[in-house]
Amino acid sequence: MNIQCIWQAATHNAFTDLIAWQDALWCVFREGSAHVSADGAFRLLRSIDQGQHWQSVALITHPSADLRDAKFSLLTDGRLMLYGAGALHDNSQQSHQSFAWFSADGLYWSDAVTIGEPNIWIWRLNWQQHQGLALGYKCGGEPRFVRAYTTENGIDFQPITPDIYSSSYANESGLVFATDGTAPRAKIAAVAVQSTAATGWLS
């Protein structure tokens, strides 16, 4: 195993995601002056030689938010979707909003698009044929819950009721599909739960 540092330009660099797309490796992460800071942005790196060398190709910022936990998703039309949550500077109406950006080449990105409901942090988005499914968790105080969403385009997220979890502060999550080649046989959700005792939840 070869371990190398691929970026350390900012004071704080963390929370990565990685995808292979268009004959390259793409890595995105949050960079800022601290773990929580108003200048949080998404740095996007590309490697065209299987991870030997990396080049910065984009820096995604938002004027109204500290961007957090960037993630990739490959859309059914071949475009790359980048999304994450924004901790809003003005939290008088809401504290968080999920945003997405879209690109056909990874170099030029759309403007930010608001996705999901206010104060819902959309986590890992997975696709089953032409349907995207993701879990989102409630930020900004009570009530706490985790809600499932479906989307066909990565922009319009429709909630699936009822909420799948509504006890302690559940947050980071992922979906795994078990398939028979054409349709999902099972959807497995793994959710991190923050409480007095560190726990996890699997459904």
Side-chain angles (χ1 to χ4, degrees):
M1 178 182 293
N2 179 31
I3 300 175
Q4 63 173 311
C5 176
I6 64 173
W7 190 262
Q8 55 180 356
T11 305
H12 190 273
N13 311 273
F15 316 121
T16 59
D17 200 17
L18 183 71
I19 194 171
W21 178 65
Q22 293 191 351
D23 299 319
L25 293 175
W26 304 78
C27 181
V28 66
F29 52 90
R30 178 191 180 274
E31 67 172 33
S33 57
H35 182 183
V36 177
S37 57
D39 60 351
F42 293 158
R43 174 71 64 178
L44 183 64
L45 307 182
R46 180 181 64 172
S47 172
I48 59 175
D49 58 5
Q50 297 298 309
Q52 296 301 308
H53 302 90
W54 293 85
Q55 177 186 14
S56 175
V57 294
L59 180 66
I60 306 295
T61 62
H62 196 289
S64 302
D66 165 20
L67 298 181
R68 310 195 60 79
D69 288 296
K71 289 176 176 54
F72 290 123
S73 186
L74 184 58
L75 300 181
T76 56
D77 63 7
R79 289 179 301 149
L80 190 60
M81 174 182 176
L82 172 64
Y83 65 102
L88 302 178
H89 303 325
D90 179 2
N91 59 9
S92 59
Q93 300 298 316
Q94 66 185 88
S95 61
H96 291 77
Q97 179 63 58
S98 291
F99 298 104
W101 299 258
F102 302 89
S103 178
D105 61 8
L107 306 179
Y108 300 96
W109 291 85
S110 71
D111 292 335
V113 177
T114 297
I115 62 172
E117 300 174 278
N119 285 336
I120 299 296
W121 195 317
I122 300 292
W123 208 253
R124 180 68 62 185
L125 172 63
N126 285 340
W127 294 85
Q128 180 64 23
Q129 298 180 9
H130 293 285
Q131 182 185 36
L133 288 168
L135 301 181
Y137 69 89
K138 171 68 163 48
C139 303
E142 302 295 336
R144 300 289 193 183
F145 57 80
V146 175
R147 181 172 292 166
Y149 291 86
T150 182
T151 181
E152 295 182 354
N153 57 14
I155 298 175
D156 302 309
F157 283 76
Q158 300 301 318
I160 303 172
T161 55
D163 298 337
I164 67 170
Y165 187 86
S166 59
S167 183
S168 54
Y169 184 29
N171 43 71
E172 302 175 11
S173 58
L175 292 169
V176 177
F177 294 99
T179 70
D180 59 6
T182 57
R185 287 188 283 108
K187 302 179 183 68
I188 303 171
V191 180
V193 179
Q194 292 184 359
S195 60
T196 53
T199 57
W201 181 68
L202 186 66
S203 173

